[in-house]
Amino acid sequence: MALDLSRPIYMDYNATTPMDSRVLEAMMPYFTEKFGNAASRNHVYGWEAEEAVEKAREQVAKAIGADAKEIIFTSGATESDNIALKGAVEMYAEKGNHIVTMLTEHKAVLDTCRRLERDGKATVTYLAPKQDGLVDLEKLEAAITDKTIMVAIMMANNEIGVIQPMEQIGEICRKHNVLFFTDAVQAVGKVPVDVNAMKIDVLSISGHKVYGPKGIGALYVRRKNPRVKLAPVIDGGGHERGMRSGTLNVPGIVGLGKALELCIEEMPNEMKRLTYLRNKLKDGILSQLEEVYVNGSMESRLPGNLNMSFAYVEGEGLLMGLKGLAVSSGSACTSASLEPSHVLKALGVGDELAHSSIRYGLGRFTTEEEVDYAIQITVEAVNRLREMSPLYEMAKAGIDLKSVQWTHH
Amino acid sequence: MAYSAKVIDHYNNPRNVGSLDPKDDSVGTGLVGAPECGDVMKLQIKVNEETGVIEDAKFKTFGCGSAIASSSLATEMLKGKTIEEAAAIKNTAIVQELNLPPVKIHCSVLAEDAIKAAIEDFKKKQAAKRAKAQEALTNA
Ligand SMILES: Cc1ncc(COP(=O)(O)O)c(C=O)c1O
């Protein structure tokens, strides 16, 4: 089949995913004829909405090995992360005020922690990862004090795709009687997640990373051993066990449930398929270009994620050369700032290689032809830009770039 | 971010990519920026030692599309100018010509710095050459 190149090929599945048409189909009736408020107890409109919500709650719970009663719906993972952290800090203030997290977390966790610190509500330890992006379990254990109430470590990283050793982290948290919260946005539906085997107490989910809609998310809150309570961030009608007030987004919730059901059904095949495609992409590039470095562990990683640094070319400039591909860079492009990725910096990649990074995210609709095309244009663009790069020229001439007096500006 | 048509044109068809012999006395080399900051420009001029007119200019740049376009444009602007005229080139001229957005103004500043550094290097070499000639004369 010929590739449609009228629009860039989408390879940014870690940023968001297209909605699966089967998900849209499941949602449609809940916008129009089944429009009821799930909290209306007196008529069929409310009942059918409530029934749909409860079905979705089952579907979400099943995707992570939880009980439906332990799932609350939110507007997305940013909100879930906020409730997890702020809710725990408020609820467990008597026990302590210390949180342990990592420098490589998503901004939804990091910036929430920073605010809690600024407001004098919590003290936070930010652990640096090992060079492969994984947590150092000894450092984690050493960071826990008798004031620690929560460990917040994401299951899979959104930039480099590395998967943390969940069971070991859970074990350490249980041993020290602190809550284990994980932002599992990138992992749920992609790789197996089991809140009991992994001893997870609180977990965030987002709809739009699992081929569901944007603006819907969920939070798993353990109900026994231990029973976790979180103070609400949004007050109101007392929906969702009082932890998240607000009329339920029924179509969004139905979509999230359906999306996760599909992910779980297709997971065994999809993991194999994406691992094959991702490795083909990696090997295809590495075999044709020198001085390309994979960022993050290849052993413990999401099947569809690849993050590479191309020495001597700048990421944003490279993105421009990859205009046939929709990918992202750890260079300035990820945000309005000109700072390179905080994740790559935390790995100790070095600013120059952080500026040279590209994230490829493969997913459900990625084909082998698309991967072949991505390999070809990446190799072409990198070669072209290296010919234009003073750094490449200097390195080829045997100059140690570290020994050069650069003019910082 | 959307790039202007002119930036895209310079990115796709960069003018004067390459290198001149840095040891040649008529060549001035400017190397500015830093890899950690995400942009490095090398800009070289070849000056007619009699007339002071820039006869050739080359660049190599590590950076975003706007940095590549800024240095490519700079080489175009330099050719045919005397070094005095070249020294008067302002980054704002580059901003205007390429329609750079505010977040990319630093790319034009870097190009101006590169021009200045190349001229500086050329002048230094010329002074050294004169001093050497002088020395040869007095020793003779
Ligand atoms: C790891 C992680 N956490 C949280 C979020 C935020 O999720 P949402 O867009 O649903 O608020 C994202 C996605 O942007 C993410 O990748």
Side-chain angles (χ1 to χ4, degrees):
Chain A
M1 206 177 66
L3 280 181
D4 173 11
L5 296 176
S6 62
R7 271 158 63 81
I9 288 167
Y10 191 73
M11 277 201 190
D12 207 6
Y13 279 81
N14 297 105
T16 194
T17 59
M19 215 164 68
D20 192 299
S21 57
R22 294 167 290 181
V23 172
L24 179 62
E25 209 178 303
M27 291 168 69
M28 286 304 271
Y30 297 93
F31 286 109
T32 50
E33 71 264 30
K34 298 185 180 180
F35 62 85
N37 185 330
S40 297
R41 290 283 149 80
N42 307 319
H43 47 65
V44 65
Y45 296 91
W47 302 332
E48 65 194 9
E50 190 191 11
E51 196 180 313
V53 168
E54 292 319 312
K55 180 178 169 201
R57 214 185 287 282
E58 295 279 351
Q59 288 167 319
V60 173
K62 205 167 159 206
I64 57 170
D67 187 272
K69 292 195 200 73
E70 300 177 304
I71 303 298
I72 68 169
F73 291 109
T74 66
S75 67
T78 300
E79 186 189 336
S80 298
D81 290 351
N82 270 266
I83 299 174
L85 292 159
K86 292 175 181 167
V89 165
E90 185 173 335
M91 190 58 78
Y92 296 93
E94 268 174 30
K95 179 177 183 245
N97 66 347
H98 180 234
I99 294 169
V100 180
T101 187
M102 291 183 75
L103 288 170
T104 46
E105 290 293 306
H106 191 268
K107 292 282 181 193
V109 167
L110 289 179
D111 286 5
T112 303
C113 286
R114 297 250 150 77
R115 177 177 300 280
L116 287 165
E117 284 181 294
R118 242 188 354 256
D119 293 349
K121 292 179 178 158
T123 59
V124 183
T125 301
Y126 300 91
L127 296 173
K130 296 185 289 183
Q131 221 176 10
D132 61 5
L134 299 178
V135 66
D136 182 329
L137 292 166
E138 277 172 29
K139 274 202 218 156
L140 169 64
E141 187 155 18
I144 295 173
T145 70
D146 55 358
K147 289 272 173 264
T148 307
I149 54 171
M150 183 174 258
V151 167
I153 294 182
M154 72 202 310
M155 181 161 169
N157 187 274
N158 49 302
E159 288 189 34
I160 54 175
V162 300
I163 299 174
Q164 299 293 346
M166 301 302 282
E167 287 168 29
Q168 284 100 312
I169 299 171
E171 195 65 58
I172 291 172
C173 291
R174 279 289 156 83
K175 182 172 145 196
H176 294 278
N177 198 24
V178 303
L179 297 177
F180 177 21
F181 158 52
T182 189
D183 174 335
V185 164
Q186 297 284 344
V188 170
K190 314 290 167 59
V191 291
V193 178
D194 185 318
V195 291
N196 292 318
M198 295 169 173
K199 301 186 171 63
I200 296 163
D201 298 313
V202 184
L203 173 149
S204 297
I205 294 176
S206 174
H208 71 97
K209 310 281 182 176
V210 293
Y211 311 95
K214 294 173 178 60
I216 188 73
L219 187 65
Y220 159 79
V221 187
R222 179 175 286 284
R223 265 168 71 95
K224 51 177 194 277
N225 307 319
R227 181 180 178 86
V228 179
K229 291 184 76 181
L230 300 174
V233 172
I234 295 178
D235 292 301
H239 309 73
E240 300 298 274
R241 296 201 279 138
M243 276 185 271
R244 205 286 185 172
S245 288
T247 299
L248 295 181
N249 169 4
V250 179
I253 289 168
V254 168
L256 174 59
K258 181 69 186 176
L260 283 175
E261 184 183 82
L262 293 172
C263 283
I264 300 306
E265 250 171 55
E266 298 180 1
M267 188 186 291
N269 284 333
E270 196 60 357
M271 282 180 68
K272 268 190 235 133
R273 193 182 73 89
L274 288 176
T275 302
Y276 165 76
L277 289 180
R278 191 270 319 276
N279 288 345
K280 181 170 190 189
L281 178 61
K282 171 177 71 76
D283 297 339
I285 292 172
L286 288 177
S287 65
Q288 295 180 68
L289 291 172
E290 52 179 2
E291 294 205 61
V292 179
Y293 307 96
V294 175
N295 295 311
S297 166
M298 273 313 292
E299 287 73 45
S300 183
R301 192 182 194 106
L302 290 173
N305 173 279
L306 183 63
N307 187 310
M308 292 176 140
S309 288
F310 300 88
Y312 317 122
V313 302
E314 195 275 335
E316 203 182 323
L318 181 52
L319 279 183
M320 210 171 152
L322 300 177
K323 58 183 180 305
L325 279 187
V327 292
S328 63
S329 168
S331 186
C333 260
T334 53
S335 65
S337 79
L338 294 172
E339 281 290 296
S341 148
H342 72 279
V343 173
L344 297 181
K345 279 178 90 158
L347 295 196
V349 159
D351 279 5
E352 65 270 36
L353 281 178
H355 276 295
S356 302
S357 74
I358 296 286
R359 175 184 72 182
Y360 300 86
L362 314 185
R364 186 172 291 168
F365 305 105
T366 305
T367 65
E368 187 153 6
E369 285 88 4
E370 290 178 339
V371 169
D372 291 337
Y373 175 75
I375 295 169
Q376 182 203 327
I377 68 166
T378 300
V379 170
E380 281 169 15
V382 171
N383 279 332
R384 188 175 94 89
L385 289 171
R386 281 185 175 169
E387 281 312 311
M388 227 189 275
S389 166
L391 304 181
Y392 187 64
E393 182 181 64
M394 290 162 87
K396 284 277 140 188
I399 297 169
D400 176 9
L401 296 178
K402 297 235 169 358
S403 72
V404 178
Q405 261 327 125
W406 299 105
T407 59
H408 292 261
H409 56 104
Chain B
M1 186 196 339
Y3 291 93
S4 73
K6 286 199 174 133
V7 169
I8 293 171
D9 180 44
H10 276 281
Y11 178 87
N12 288 333
N13 311 291
R15 330 290 200 258
N16 309 309
V17 175
S19 297
L20 301 168
D21 179 5
K23 293 193 195 75
D24 183 337
D25 278 336
S26 66
V27 168
T29 301
L31 181 68
V32 296
E36 308 90 87
C37 303
D39 29 34
V40 175
M41 286 181 192
K42 187 188 77 168
L43 198 142
Q44 294 181 300
I45 49 173
K46 183 170 173 63
V47 185
N48 183 315
E49 290 172 86
E50 249 94 87
T51 61
V53 171
I54 297 170
E55 293 180 332
D56 200 4
K58 296 272 183 211
F59 85 95
K60 285 201 172 190
T61 289
F62 163 85
C64 66
S66 303
I68 289 170
S70 294
S71 36
S72 169
L73 175 65
T75 57
E76 270 192 327
M77 294 166 89
L78 286 169
K79 281 200 208 178
K81 284 199 168 64
T82 64
I83 52 173
E84 286 76 27
E85 287 164 347
I89 294 175
K90 287 273 169 284
N91 80 295
T92 45
I94 294 171
V95 172
Q96 256 179 12
E97 176 65 20
L98 295 177
N99 277 321
L100 295 182
V103 294
K104 295 297 180 188
I105 290 184
H106 71 277
C107 298
S108 68
V109 173
L110 202 61
E112 183 187 321
D113 290 350
I115 294 172
K116 297 221 152 71
I119 294 171
E120 195 63 31
D121 182 55
F122 169 74
K123 285 184 173 164
K124 239 191 347 223
K125 277 180 172 171
Q126 291 295 309
K129 190 175 164 185
R130 275 195 300 274
K132 226 176 184 174
Q134 195 67 40
E135 203 177 311
L137 219 60
T138 41
N139 288 349

